[in-house]
Amino acid sequence: MNPSGKPKRPLGLKGYVVTLAGTALVAAVAGASSAIFGELPGVLGLTVTVATLSAAMAVGLAACLWWWRGIDEAAREAHNWAWWWGGSGGMAVGGVVLLTLMARNEAQLLPSSFGSNPTDIFVSGMMALGLFQLAGYALAWAGWWLKHR
């Protein structure tokens, strides 16, 4: 229930599309700004990059809070459960894969798109770990809903 005494209605497809479109727009602006101004030398380039990414993250967090407040208790529980179990499980699996590849010096098994210098490989590893978490989350979320329907 909300303060007016009426039951809370889920945001539905319209709320999802609005949140997704708004977030995509902010991400596009942040990406374009980083591409245009990110190559500026010295402190100015660093400051512009930090400001752009911080503003995009703040808008993204605000969108998440707005969305979270608009979903019902069952959806919140599904997302909490999926992130805890699926995200943690995905991170564990991804961590084992990435640490095994790095500890055994099996760099030749990595796709060439992962890069050849340490910075590129580090960023690729972070992105791969995020994808493992996202995959675990999606599987756990779907499993939660299948179990509770």
Side-chain angles (χ1 to χ4, degrees), residues 42-81:
V43 176
L44 179 61
L46 179 65
T47 303
V48 169
T49 301
V50 168
T52 301
L53 294 177
S54 296
M57 288 293 183
V59 170
L61 181 60
C64 287
L65 288 172
W66 172 80
W67 174 80
W68 187 257
R69 290 178 178 156
I71 63 174
D72 62 9
E73 187 176 343
R76 286 182 184 184
E77 182 59 28
H79 287 290
N80 285 333
W81 193 88

Side-chain angles (χ1 to χ4, degrees), residues 14-27:
K14 181 181 176 185
Y16 173 76
V17 170
V18 167
T19 304
L20 182 65
T23 304
L25 178 64
V26 169

Side-chain angles (χ1 to χ4, degrees), residues 56-126:
M57 288 293 183
V59 170
L61 181 60
C64 287
L65 288 172
W66 172 80
W67 174 80
W68 187 257
R69 290 178 178 156
I71 63 174
D72 62 9
E73 187 176 343
R76 286 182 184 184
E77 182 59 28
H79 287 290
N80 285 333
W81 193 88
W83 184 245
W84 175 256
W85 293 107
S88 298
M91 183 172 54
V93 170
V96 167
V97 169
L98 293 172
L99 289 172
T100 299
L101 290 172
M102 298 310 289
R104 295 187 42 85
N105 200 16
E106 301 290 339
Q108 68 271 15
L109 296 177
L110 295 174
S112 60
S113 61
F114 265 48
S116 57
N117 64 49
T119 302
D120 290 343
I121 293 173
F122 178 77
V123 170
S124 296
M126 286 180 57

